Amino acid sequence: MASFEVTGFINTIKYLPDHCLVFIDEFKKGYKKKDGSRIDDRYITWKCIFKPYFKGYIVNHFNNGMLVQVKGEVMPYAIDHEKVVEGYSVIGQTINLASFPKSMIKQEAKMIKESLENTKEMPNLQEHMRPDF
């Protein structure tokens, strides 16, 4: 079994009696080929199947539009209306909220460093150590 990991936005959540389906849209940035043709940006939708014991967790913590990270296993077959068909199945093992990446991490670290270097304030330890009452 192959491991699987995706970070994307929840499109739809379907609750079924024996499992829970979470449809996740993953963004793929477009690119330019060597011959000059352009491949556009696109979304890939993944259908992740979770066992019934995930249902309560998903109901309480996740909604459509949330950015999530899912880890699981990919099976070399798909099941459609209780029949095995050609394709694949993603069996979810974990689902967590994902955080948006910061675009200017270096600039933010530089600003913090400069603000700490330029401060001339000294903490007032005498005032801090005095009794409250």
Side-chain angles (χ1 to χ4, degrees), residues 52-69:
Y53 50 82
F54 273 97
K55 191 182 287 189
Y57 176 68
I58 292 172
V59 166
N60 292 332
H61 294 92
F62 300 100
N63 289 317
N64 294 349
M66 288 184 159
L67 182 65
V68 295
Q69 184 176 35

Side-chain angles (χ1 to χ4, degrees), residues 24-63:
I24 298 173
D25 291 336
E26 179 186 21
F27 178 73
K28 290 291 186 183
K29 186 159 176 55
Y31 57 93
K32 191 174 182 180
K33 291 184 175 181
K34 289 182 181 180
D35 65 358
S37 62
R38 175 99 175 115
I39 304 298
D40 293 329
D41 296 345
R42 61 191 170 122
Y43 279 95
I44 298 173
T45 301
W46 297 96
K47 179 171 79 172
C48 302
I49 304 165
F50 288 91
K51 303 283 183 179
Y53 50 82
F54 273 97
K55 191 182 287 189
Y57 176 68
I58 292 172
V59 166
N60 292 332
H61 294 92
F62 300 100
N63 289 317

Side-chain angles (χ1 to χ4, degrees), residues 12-118:
T12 307
I13 301 173
K14 289 187 180 181
Y15 303 102
L16 301 172
D18 56 340
H19 56 274
C20 180
L21 301 176
V22 179
F23 294 87
I24 298 173
D25 291 336
E26 179 186 21
F27 178 73
K28 290 291 186 183
K29 186 159 176 55
Y31 57 93
K32 191 174 182 180
K33 291 184 175 181
K34 289 182 181 180
D35 65 358
S37 62
R38 175 99 175 115
I39 304 298
D40 293 329
D41 296 345
R42 61 191 170 122
Y43 279 95
I44 298 173
T45 301
W46 297 96
K47 179 171 79 172
C48 302
I49 304 165
F50 288 91
K51 303 283 183 179
Y53 50 82
F54 273 97
K55 191 182 287 189
Y57 176 68
I58 292 172
V59 166
N60 292 332
H61 294 92
F62 300 100
N63 289 317
N64 294 349
M66 288 184 159
L67 182 65
V68 295
Q69 184 176 35
V70 173
K71 292 181 183 178
E73 294 178 332
V74 177
M75 302 296 200
Y77 57 85
I79 298 175
D80 189 23
H81 300 299
E82 298 181 7
K83 291 184 179 179
V84 176
V85 295
E86 188 174 329
Y88 59 88
S89 296
V90 177
I91 309 299
Q93 294 173 331
T94 64
I95 181 169
N96 296 310
L97 285 175
S99 61
F100 289 95
K102 291 187 176 182
S103 59
M104 296 192 241
I105 292 175
K106 289 182 181 178
Q107 185 177 9
E108 186 175 333
K110 181 180 174 187
M111 287 172 40
I112 292 170
K113 182 180 176 185
E114 287 176 357
S115 69
L116 291 174
E117 288 175 351
N118 293 330

